[in-house]
Amino acid sequence: MKVHDILQGSSSWLHLRKKYFTASNAAEIMNCGYSTRKQAIEIALGRKERKPISSGLQLLFDQGHLMERGARTQYNANQQNPKNHVHPLVGSTVVNDLNLLASFDGITASHDLVWEHKYTYKIFDEIPAVYYYQLEHQLLVADCTAAILTTTSREDGKMIDYHYESIPERREELLSGWKQWQ
């Protein structure tokens, strides 16, 4: 994995993202995101413009980033071994001639565990597709197989950790989805 010394959210980061297939778009590409694959294609082809982010949605994003920092601090505090601490990072790699980028909410220094955070009302027994394709993409970039998804409840602030191990069939589905997109 190539590590990019770049701040997530910066103009340089936004420019870099245009050159890669990104983890945050993985669910959309697999047609299980917050917008459809068809909508994403129409935007990519210039047939439609991406809707501007409303002030309310931007506020929610800002709250999510604030909660992410707190959740990462809490996650790290719960790790007895400092080598299990996670930190934000932007990384890229090439898999099957696909340029992949991931902006990790957290990843260990040895890049053997990915940590993702969501600020949500959702509670689930199994990680849903809208999240697991993003995790699979991140795991491809990091070249590892284990992830933790931490959710922080928008109702009461309760945090839940979900363990995720890569599923080879999902990776193949995702790579096939990106190939079709390409």
Side-chain angles (χ1 to χ4, degrees):
M1 173 175 62
K2 177 180 178 183
V3 174
H4 299 269
D5 185 19
I6 196 164
L7 182 64
Q8 292 182 36
S10 68
S11 59
S12 299
W13 174 78
L14 291 170
H15 181 72
L16 179 69
R17 288 172 51 85
K18 292 178 183 179
K19 300 175 185 177
Y20 292 90
F21 298 129
T22 63
S24 59
N25 294 113
E28 185 176 65
I29 295 311
M30 297 307 294
N31 208 32
C32 58
Y34 294 107
S35 61
T36 67
R37 181 179 174 93
K38 182 180 182 217
Q39 290 168 324
I41 290 170
E42 289 175 343
I43 290 168
L45 293 175
R47 294 181 186 158
K48 284 190 174 179
E49 289 192 29
R50 189 170 297 277
K51 292 180 183 176
I53 296 172
S54 69
S55 58
L57 188 55
Q58 186 60 56
L59 178 62
L60 182 60
F61 289 160
D62 293 344
Q63 289 172 331
H65 291 302
L66 181 64
M67 298 306 286
E68 172 194 318
R69 285 191 293 276
R72 185 175 37 250
T73 298
Q74 183 64 46
Y75 178 82
N76 285 338
N78 291 340
Q79 302 308 304
Q80 294 181 359
N81 187 338
K83 81 173 205 161
N84 294 328
H85 287 187
V86 296
H87 57 281
L89 184 129
V90 177
S92 65
T93 195
V94 177
V95 177
N96 295 350
D97 296 321
L98 296 166
N99 293 320
L100 305 178
L101 181 81
S103 299
F104 300 98
D105 291 345
I107 188 168
T108 57
S110 60
H111 302 166
D112 62 350
L113 178 76
V114 166
W115 180 83
E116 178 66 21
H117 178 263
K118 299 295 180 191
Y119 181 50
T120 182
Y121 288 115
K122 295 177 185 174
I123 297 173
F124 39 83
D125 293 324
E126 293 185 26
I127 297 173
V130 70
Y131 298 150
Y132 68 60
Y133 281 117
Q134 181 179 10
L135 293 173
E136 287 289 356
H137 186 108
Q138 292 173 338
L139 293 170
L140 280 163
V141 173
D143 192 25
C144 69
T145 59
I148 302 290
L149 171 65
T150 299
T151 60
T152 301
S153 170
R154 286 171 36 191
E155 284 184 25
D156 60 10
K158 180 181 176 187
M159 292 189 304
I160 301 172
D161 289 337
Y162 298 90
H163 297 268
Y164 183 80
E165 289 290 328
S166 179
I167 297 174
E169 294 82 11
R170 286 182 184 164
R171 276 190 184 203
E172 290 306 314
E173 290 170 1
L174 179 60
L175 290 171
S176 177
W178 281 124
K179 276 290 190 187
Q180 290 173 349
W181 182 260
Q182 188 179 45

